[in-house]
């Protein structure tokens, strides 16, 4: 099994801040890494796929990078709508695995 | 517009069976895998398994192998998740989602399953 470890688990930040969330895989995941945003009571939404590709309609302040075992999600300038929980996910062509999530809170 | 519409909330007793559904529309249903994802109360996302509607090939995460059954009726563009004997620990929100490449690009609204005596 590939295990995905996100850090930090909780992040307190202010509107306008630049924030980075990290996801580490227990073994290489190539670039098959996605990032999702989830708000309370809602289904997750895809933000980034293939490690660095922005899904159509997602604001350009979101970006992803990395390959192999270490990946990052960066939000360049936090907006009020961005306070949510973020999950990474890898897929090994048989099944996927999610990170445990990072809750982004207002400082 | 791609849409995945899931069946409504369920309240069941331990030991009962259940089948929930996920109907796709707005795209060619048969050529995209459908995934099922569990989210227990206050917890993270867990990948349960995927099914390919074109030939019903199914792949389960090791945690869920033997615990649930994923099936599909491609004639009505609907995927299913079923349990033969529910436990209290099956209480969760269940999401279906479309797998595109290696990511889940469209999600259903979720089906809340509550198992309580």
């Amino acid at each position: 099994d590939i295990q995905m470890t996100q850090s930090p688990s909780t992040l307190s930040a202010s509107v306008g801040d630049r924030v980075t969330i990290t996801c580490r895989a227990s073994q290489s995941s190539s670039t098959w890494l996605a990032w999702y945003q989830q708000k309370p009571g809602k289904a997750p939404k895809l933000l980034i796929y293939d490690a660095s590709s922005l899904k159509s309609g997602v604001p350009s302040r979101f970006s992803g990078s990395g390959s192999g075992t270490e990946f990052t999600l960066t939000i360049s300038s936090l907006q009020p709508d961005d306070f949510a929980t973020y999950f990474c996910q890898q897929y090994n062509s048989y099944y996927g695995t999610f990170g445990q999530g990072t809750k982004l809170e207002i400082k | 517009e791609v849409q995945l519409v899931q069946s409504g909330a369920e309240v069941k007793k331990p030991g009962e069976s259940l089948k929930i559904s996920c109907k796709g529309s707005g795209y060619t249903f048969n050529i995209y895998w459908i995934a099922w994802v569990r989210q227990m109360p206050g917890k993270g996302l867990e990948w349960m398994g995927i099914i390919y509607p074109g030939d019903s090939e199914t792949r389960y995460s090791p945690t869920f192998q033997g615990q649930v059954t994923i099936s599909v009726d491609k004639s009505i563009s609907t995927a299913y998740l079923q349990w033969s004997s529910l436990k209290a620990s099956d209480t969760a929100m269940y999401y279906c989602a479309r797998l595109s490449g290696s990511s889940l690009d469209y999600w259903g609204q979720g089906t809340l399953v509550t198992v309580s005596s």
Side-chain angles (χ1 to χ4, degrees):
Chain A
D1 286 14
I2 298 180
Q3 309 299 322
M4 307 300 290
T5 303
Q6 280 183 241
S7 59
S9 296
T10 307
L11 179 56
S12 296
S14 302
V15 172
D17 284 353
R18 178 184 179 91
V19 298
T20 297
I21 300 169
T22 298
C23 185
R24 289 187 174 86
S26 59
Q27 52 186 281
S28 178
S29 189
S30 183
T31 58
W32 292 0
L33 194 285
W35 290 97
Y36 303 87
Q37 178 193 68
Q38 187 180 32
K39 296 184 178 179
K42 299 294 187 182
K45 291 183 178 179
L46 177 65
L47 301 174
I48 302 285
Y49 62 96
D50 293 347
S52 60
S53 297
L54 193 68
K55 184 183 178 186
S56 176
V58 174
S60 59
R61 62 181 179 273
F62 291 92
S63 64
S65 65
S67 65
T69 61
E70 186 153 334
F71 302 87
T72 60
L73 172 70
T74 299
I75 310 172
S76 60
S77 179
L78 274 173
Q79 300 303 301
D81 191 49
D82 300 338
F83 292 95
T85 300
Y86 294 84
F87 295 92
C88 63
Q89 171 250 314
Q90 70 79 32
Y91 176 66
N92 66 4
S93 77
Y94 196 86
Y95 63 89
T97 310
F98 292 95
Q100 80 278 16
T102 294
K103 187 175 183 180
L104 182 51
E105 300 178 329
I106 301 175
K107 185 184 284 185
Chain B
E1 178 195 7
V2 174
Q3 283 195 308
L4 295 170
V5 178
Q6 298 184 230
S7 50
E10 301 275 0
V11 179
K12 292 289 192 178
K13 290 181 167 44
E16 292 186 332
S17 62
L18 176 64
K19 191 174 189 177
I20 63 175
S21 66
C22 168
K23 182 174 177 62
S25 63
Y27 72 101
T28 305
F29 184 76
N30 289 359
I31 63 170
Y32 288 87
W33 294 81
I34 292 289
W36 285 96
V37 176
R38 183 175 77 175
Q39 188 166 39
M40 299 176 77
K43 302 298 184 183
L45 304 172
E46 298 174 272
W47 187 290
M48 301 178 74
I50 54 175
I51 189 163
Y52 189 72
D55 62 5
S56 298
E57 180 181 350
T58 310
R59 300 174 179 176
Y60 294 94
S61 167
T63 303
F64 293 93
Q65 179 79 50
Q67 306 305 306
V68 296
T69 301
I70 295 172
S71 60
V72 69
D73 184 341
K74 64 182 180 181
S75 70
I76 56 171
S77 301
T78 300
Y80 301 96
L81 176 66
Q82 70 180 89
W83 296 259
S84 58
S85 181
L86 286 159
K87 303 184 284 289
S89 58
D90 293 317
T91 294
M93 182 70 81
Y94 293 88
Y95 295 102
C96 65
R98 189 180 81 164
L99 181 64
S100 178
S102 62
S103 60
L104 303 174
D105 62 348
Y106 289 93
W107 293 66
Q109 82 277 19
T111 297
L112 180 62
V113 174
T114 303
V115 183
S116 174
S117 55

